[in-house]
Amino acid sequence: MSLRFYDTSARQVRDFTPLREGCASLYLCGATVQAPPHIGHIRSGVNFDILRRWLTYRGLRVTLCRNVTDIDDKIINVARGEGVAWWEVAERNQRAFTAAYDTLGCLPPTVEPRATGHVPEMIELMRRLIDRGHAYPAADGSGDVYFDVASYPDYGALSNQRPDQMRGAADTDDDRRKRDPRDFALWKGARPGEPSWETPWGRGRPGWHLECSAMSTKYLGSAFDIHGGGLDLVFPHHENEVAQSRAAGDGFAQYWLHNGLLTMGGEKMSKSLGNSLLIPDMVRKVRPVELRYYLAQAHYRSVIDYSDDALAEAAAAFQRVEGFVTRAVEVVGAVEPASRVPDPFAAALDDDLGVSQALAVLHGHVRDGNTALTEGGKERIAELAGQVRAMLAVLGLDPLSDTWAQGADSGLSDVVDSLVAVALEQRQAARARKDYAAADAIRDQLLAAGVVVEDTPRGPRWELRRS
Ligand SMILES: [Zn+2]
């Protein structure tokens, strides 16, 4: 195995050597559940789902921990605006995120811890930091607890910043509580009307950075393999996570992988822009599997600038692949995925998860497969279809997998198949008696009902019209 990834911390591609042979532990910063997800949020889920599937294909037992931030200023503000409890907002949006991940075929994480369920672990981590001289409670008794940036010489190493050029952390009600403006809040003292938990330093609630350090090491151990997240999290969130955990004596993440952002018209997704790209709306434009293809096709570290045209192109590209698999099965019968993916495909994914190059290999096989379909050779068709299915499975895009084939496999599909067969027999009969007007009328009626008929050398075939 020669897996390698671009490590943000090292600023270069590094060979991947897991801490424990045969295993890979992966922590992914999940959602702050103040609103339902747009596709920018879910891109990270899709990118890291492919990473997880590839590590699994390479024989590693993957433990994926993806957190949910269920307490935060933004959640409290939304709840206040609606006049409902903070946990009602968090529950509702967590369900929306789960539904979106499921819709896009992301495998569920091994564990999905919520911040508010891990207050004891956070208190313990603060205790360790205070005992080691890396954190302090605010002197005014507000209940705030801060990380002492000056006590940790490596601060800034992950985001490649010099500590003396850093801006202050804007996370306090009163800067006088801090020894240094760059110090960041581990814990936020209770404010009237807000949820709070008891600690030895007063009542308050978790800071965002602290929860990820506490939850990742609880589930993955003091040191783990890969920490993932969006590129916008490198600073301050991940810089603060690594400072907290290393200062407390944990080895923490060995590799840092960051996915690029999804922009619109070159701008970072704002809430108003994002509202037009919510998942339920997107899967009315294209099928979920096509949306997954769209989000997966670019390299995970590149920027995706959203456009309807690019989405439509991605859907068409996926349909070419799907069309080959469908026709191959019609010609040769059931085809199981090959046990191994082709070497160039594997080499592309081994090299910092090069999905775009891997897809080029996939499309090459589809072209060969289509040639085989016109030139006969059932064995060759079956071989190529098996390889294509194996590659698609690794990307979570196999149209015949349980995730995506449910609709096609339902009883309803068989009923439609029988009805269309009756109509096509009548069309053939009309053609046989040279009544082309009647034959065309049948085809048009089928089209109006959403069934596209295509005449092939092997006879007519049909599929449901898309979009
Ligand atoms: Zn995090």
Side-chain angles (χ1 to χ4, degrees):
M1 181 166 60
S2 58
L3 269 169
R4 53 204 174 275
F5 300 115
Y6 182 86
D7 176 10
T8 306
S9 185
R11 280 173 284 286
Q12 63 182 10
V13 175
R14 289 174 59 208
D15 286 342
F16 178 65
T17 311
L19 288 166
R20 280 173 56 204
E21 207 183 323
C23 298
S25 44
L26 174 54
Y27 185 84
L28 178 59
C29 285
T32 299
V33 283
Q34 88 263 19
H38 57 62
I39 56 171
H41 294 117
I42 298 301
R43 178 187 183 185
S44 174
V46 170
N47 287 158
F48 286 100
D49 185 55
I50 293 172
L51 172 64
R52 181 231 198 123
R53 287 169 189 259
W54 186 242
L55 292 169
T56 304
Y57 177 89
R58 279 306 193 198
L60 299 168
R61 187 184 182 280
V62 180
T63 307
L64 169 62
C65 179
R66 184 182 65 210
N67 75 298
V68 175
T69 297
D70 62 342
I71 188 76
D72 174 89
D73 286 341
K74 285 174 255 155
I75 293 168
I76 292 170
N77 288 339
V78 171
R80 203 170 269 153
E82 291 183 12
V84 300
W86 62 273
W87 40 262
E88 195 173 330
V89 172
E91 286 285 347
R92 181 181 74 209
N93 291 312
Q94 187 180 345
R95 277 197 299 275
F97 267 87
T98 301
Y101 289 127
D102 287 348
T103 297
L104 289 192
C106 297
L107 301 170
T110 321
V111 60
E112 190 166 37
R114 296 167 64 128
T116 57
H118 296 78
V119 170
E121 288 83 352
M122 290 185 241
I123 292 175
E124 190 196 318
L125 181 53
M126 283 194 284
R127 167 65 71 199
R128 284 157 67 198
L129 286 167
I130 291 172
D131 287 351
R132 286 168 162 250
H134 291 293
Y136 57 92
D140 66 356
S142 59
D144 287 1
V145 180
Y146 292 101
F147 185 87
D148 185 346
V149 166
S151 75
Y152 182 69
D154 282 342
Y155 194 72
L158 176 67
S159 56
N160 197 21
Q161 299 183 80
R162 282 177 42 192
D164 57 337
Q165 292 177 341
M166 279 183 193
R167 59 181 191 267
D171 57 1
T172 180
D173 292 341
D174 184 348
D175 262 335
R176 286 172 300 183
R177 292 174 188 164
K178 295 183 177 185
R179 294 176 185 167
D180 182 315
R182 297 167 304 168
D183 292 354
F184 58 87
L186 300 174
W187 193 258
K188 298 185 168 191
R191 282 181 277 190
E194 291 189 0
S196 63
W197 287 259
E198 188 63 43
T199 79
W201 311 282
R203 293 191 70 84
R205 62 181 165 90
W208 176 33
H209 319 302
L210 186 72
E211 60 192 65
C212 282
S213 285
M215 291 188 282
S216 56
T217 50
K218 168 168 179 159
Y219 292 100
L220 303 178
S222 164
F224 57 93
D225 294 311
I226 298 173
H227 193 311
L231 200 57
D232 53 340
L233 298 184
V234 175
F235 188 85
H237 185 50
H238 291 163
E239 189 74 62
N240 292 353
E241 279 187 36
V242 70
Q244 291 161 166
S245 290
R246 292 245 163 105
D250 290 329
F252 209 53
Q254 306 301 297
Y255 298 83
W256 287 88
L257 269 61
H258 290 99
N259 64 279
L261 301 184
L262 194 136
T263 60
M264 208 172 167
E267 278 178 62
K268 189 185 163 181
M269 285 284 212
S270 62
K271 193 152 181 284
S272 53
L273 282 178
N275 278 344
S276 63
L277 300 179
L278 295 175
I279 303 301
D281 299 324
M282 294 303 296
V283 296
R284 277 193 281 273
K285 294 185 187 193
V286 293
R287 292 176 300 158
V289 65
E290 293 164 347
L291 182 58
R292 180 179 171 100
Y293 183 98
Y294 171 69
L295 293 174
Q297 63 177 350
H299 191 272
Y300 76 92
R301 286 197 287 117
S302 65
V303 174
I304 298 179
D305 193 42
Y306 177 79
S307 77
D308 284 341
D309 288 348
L311 178 65
E313 276 171 35
F318 177 77
Q319 286 163 22
R320 283 196 294 279
V321 178
E322 184 185 38
F324 163 65
V325 174
T326 309
R327 287 186 182 105
V329 169
E330 284 170 4
V331 172
V332 303
V335 174
E336 289 306 309
S339 57
R340 286 188 52 197
V341 297
D343 289 343
F345 180 90
L349 291 185
D350 278 346
D351 186 10
D352 197 26
L353 213 63
V355 172
S356 347
Q357 291 85 343
L359 282 174
V361 177
L362 174 80
H363 281 285
H365 279 66
V366 168
R367 277 192 297 276
D368 292 348
N370 284 328
T371 306
L373 275 172
T374 50
E375 292 172 4
K378 284 194 177 183
E379 218 168 278
R380 179 73 177 144
I381 297 168
E383 182 195 352
L384 285 162
Q387 288 174 345
V388 166
R389 278 199 72 190
M391 291 186 271
L392 288 169
V394 161
L395 302 172
L397 289 166
D398 180 6
L400 302 182
S401 67
D402 290 345
T403 312
W404 307 117
Q406 280 160 358
D409 276 348
S410 68
L412 194 59
S413 171
D414 292 340
V415 172
V416 174
D417 200 39
S418 306
L419 290 171
V420 173
V422 170
L424 290 178
E425 270 173 34
Q426 290 177 350
R427 179 167 167 262
Q428 287 305 104
R431 286 179 144 195
R433 63 175 187 268
K434 300 199 178 341
D435 184 354
Y436 295 111
D440 287 350
I442 291 170
R443 192 193 57 201
D444 293 347
Q445 281 173 325
L446 284 170
L447 187 63
V451 175
V452 183
V453 177
E454 185 193 354
D455 290 303
T456 75
R458 292 189 165 83
R461 60 184 299 280
W462 68 273
E463 60 184 20
L464 290 179
R465 183 173 53 184
R466 302 211 172 87
S467 77

